[in-house]
Amino acid sequence: MSASDETLFDNSTWAGAQPRLSVLIPFKGDDPVDLLLALDREAADVEIVLLDDGSQDEVLAQRVTQTVAAARTPARFVRLAANVGRAKGRNRLASHARGEALLFLDSDMAPDDPHFLGRWRSLVEDENPPIAFGGFSLKQAPLRRETALHRRMAANSDCLGCDARRLAPEKTLFTSNLLIRRDVFDAEAFDEGFSGWGWEDVEWAMRAVRRWPILHIDNTATHLGLDSAATLAAKYEQSAANFARVAERHPQVVADYPSYRVARALRRVPLPTVWRPALKAFALADAAPLGAREFAMRLYRAALYAETIR
């Protein structure tokens, strides 16, 4: 896709701004307006760039355009005619940014602190780190029965504090709340060979950490977009080929991942077409104990990866 396949809308303060920090928000189908409003309320000295990755939703596009127009913060809305995917979309976002630091935020995030952007700006001004991850939480995520499994899995493996994340800095990094210095991103962009969902952010970190340190801080945002068990399983199904791409490119790194070791072990288990669907069915069963469902879903994910790794 070339630049001719995108349309731009800038608000009145965009042209004259000289921000040091660019906030980059991709979305496809999800509504980023609440996040944009939350960031704009802080009135920090930043710019915001939103990218619609081929949603083809005119109502949503109009809503985003109106919100960008009303924002005090310099903002640009980039609308792509067709979906290009998570990695390429984020690379496209970065091409529109003017700041020397890029803060990637997922559209379904909500800052946990009213000075969220101020903390990021202070970090850029005081330390200007090559890479920093602020972490994410479930503090503001509503309690819903249909998303209980995802909540439990995220709480146990993703919503980690600084000390835990620093033990494996590249593995515990996500584009949901990620700061990258411009020169670092220019040297190491996201791999556009990834498609579908998952692993493009961790693979990026595996490459980047060879050249720059990854700083982990506590400046969290809540992941509001928890999925139903069925949606989560579908995302894992999409991610299997991406995991195989990571394993092929970084075999020594993934060799220590529990998901890789379990996947390797499951390759030796006969009749996967029988037990793999049973694992999925149990993970989707709302009446089953949540802890057992979590174990089944993690095992199902490893079984999917077992099909793709060598």
Side-chain angles (χ1 to χ4, degrees), residues 115-133:
H115 304 293
F116 173 79
L117 287 180
R119 290 184 173 189
W120 277 123
R121 283 188 63 252
S122 295
L123 182 69
V124 171
E125 292 168 359
D126 297 341
E127 301 181 38
N128 199 23
I131 306 164
F133 180 61

Side-chain angles (χ1 to χ4, degrees), residues 147-159:
T147 60
L149 178 61
H150 192 185
R151 171 183 283 275
R152 181 185 177 98
M153 295 180 72
N156 288 339
S157 60
D158 299 334
C159 299

